[in-house]
């Protein structure tokens, strides 16, 4: 069974700080990596995706991918209380490329 | 555009009953997915489809069935409901799928309780 793991948290950071969220995956063939945000009682929504090694920046968010070490991370700069949510890492399977599996999520709380 | 529409929003079933969760999308997406999310947990893939007439099992398919007769609709059937199927069910769609780095667009979910 392919696995995606995340620190369950909760992760608490003060407002304005950098929040760092980590995700590891077991399938070396995985090619596409997604970060979703889910507010309590709501549906997940896409933050960003990454498929090449290195960093990808979008506003206050930076995704980092290291395929050799099989980890992907999400950095949130200048964290705001509105960033308080659960962050879900999603990965496609390397053999069933169209199958997208999720990690358990990390709960983030940004303290004003 | 309505996006991904799931019905019903809430449902209470008795043990052994059956029901169909409806999912329809109006974005002409080929890829559709069903996930379940238990309290405080991530999403578990039940079934997925890469196009009309094609379905495949996900991580937790037991107790469920799907069909994909049209591009727009992807209903999830629960036969002989059990308390372990109490969960929030999300339907999602994607245009190109993960190989095309297309994200998932989620419906608002169906909250199902089996008692």
């Amino acid at each position: 069974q392919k696995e995606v793991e995340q620190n369950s948290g909760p992760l608490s950071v003060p407002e304005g700080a950098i929040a760092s969220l980590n995700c590891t995956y077991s399938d070396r063939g995985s090619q596409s990596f997604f970060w979703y945000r889910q507010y309590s009682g709501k549906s997940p929504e896409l933050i960003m995706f990454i498929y090449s090694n290195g960093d990808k920046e979008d506003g206050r968010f930076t995704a980092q991918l290291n395929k050799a070490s099989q980890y992907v991370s999400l950095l949130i700069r200048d964290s705001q209380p509105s960033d308080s949510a659960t962050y879900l890492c999603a990965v496609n399977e390397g053999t069933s490329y169209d199958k997208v599996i999720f990690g358990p999520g990390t709960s983030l709380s940004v303290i004003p | 555009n309505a996006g991904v529409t799931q019905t019903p929003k809430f449902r209470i079933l008795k043990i052994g009953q059956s029901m169909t969760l409806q999912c329809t999308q109006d974005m002409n997406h080929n890829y559709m997915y069903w996930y379940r999310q238990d309290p405080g947990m991530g999403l578990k893939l039940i079934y997925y489809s890469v196009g009309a007439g094609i379905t495949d099992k996900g991580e937790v398919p037991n107790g469920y069935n799907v069909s994909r007769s049209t591009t727009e609709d992807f209903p999830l059937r629960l036969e002989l409901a059990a308390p372990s199927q109490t969960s929030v069910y999300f339907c999602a769609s994607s245009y190109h799928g993960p190989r095309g780095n297309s994200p998932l667009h989620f419906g608002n979910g169906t909250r199902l309780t089996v008692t």
Side-chain angles (χ1 to χ4, degrees):
Chain A
Q1 182 88 337
K2 308 298 194 306
E3 291 186 342
V4 179
E5 297 183 350
Q6 300 179 246
N7 293 335
S8 60
L11 174 66
S12 292
V13 300
E15 184 175 353
I18 295 174
S20 177
L21 304 160
N22 298 316
C23 171
T24 59
Y25 58 95
S26 63
D27 189 346
R28 283 200 171 275
S30 294
Q31 299 173 342
S32 301
F33 308 86
F34 302 83
W35 283 100
Y36 290 85
R37 176 176 62 199
Q38 186 177 30
Y39 292 112
S40 181
K42 300 295 186 182
S43 307
E45 54 184 358
L46 179 75
I47 297 176
M48 61 193 308
F49 69 87
I50 187 168
Y51 56 87
S52 298
N53 276 328
D55 295 359
K56 179 180 179 182
E57 187 174 316
D58 184 359
R60 296 188 294 114
F61 299 94
T62 299
Q64 300 174 318
L65 175 61
N66 184 323
K67 290 185 180 180
S69 299
Q70 294 177 242
Y71 86 80
V72 57
S73 64
L74 180 70
L75 300 178
I76 307 174
R77 291 183 299 281
D78 188 23
S79 295
Q80 301 297 309
S82 58
D83 294 326
S84 297
T86 297
Y87 289 80
L88 299 164
C89 173
V91 176
N92 78 316
E93 279 199 356
T95 49
S96 305
Y97 295 116
D98 301 312
K99 187 184 290 188
V100 180
I101 59 175
F102 282 76
T106 298
S107 175
L108 172 66
S109 179
V110 180
I111 311 300
Chain B
N1 286 345
V4 179
T5 302
Q6 291 184 239
T7 56
K9 288 185 171 55
F10 304 93
R11 183 70 186 268
I12 298 174
L13 278 182
K14 294 188 185 303
I15 295 172
Q17 287 185 323
S18 300
M19 76 164 294
T20 298
L21 281 66
Q22 301 292 344
C23 176
T24 188
Q25 53 90 9
D26 62 358
M27 298 175 283
N28 201 31
H29 285 178
N30 289 315
Y31 297 77
M32 296 189 75
Y33 300 79
W34 274 107
Y35 291 90
R36 59 175 287 174
Q37 186 174 34
D38 297 334
M41 306 293 286
L43 282 75
K44 290 295 186 183
L45 180 63
I46 306 172
Y47 272 95
Y48 68 103
S49 169
V50 301
I54 306 170
T55 62
D56 209 345
K57 295 178 180 179
E59 302 169 276
V60 290
N62 291 343
Y64 307 94
N65 277 301
V66 294
S67 60
R68 185 93 183 272
S69 57
T70 67
T71 299
E72 295 78 19
D73 300 306
F74 191 40
L76 177 70
R77 177 80 177 165
L78 278 73
E79 304 283 359
L80 299 175
S84 61
Q85 293 178 304
T86 293
S87 191
V88 178
Y89 291 83
F90 287 104
C91 179
S93 71
S94 171
Y95 189 54
H96 288 297
R99 282 193 255 193
N101 295 309
S102 292
L104 296 174
H105 298 261
F106 285 87
N108 289 330
T110 293
R111 186 175 297 275
L112 176 68
T113 302
V114 182
T115 62

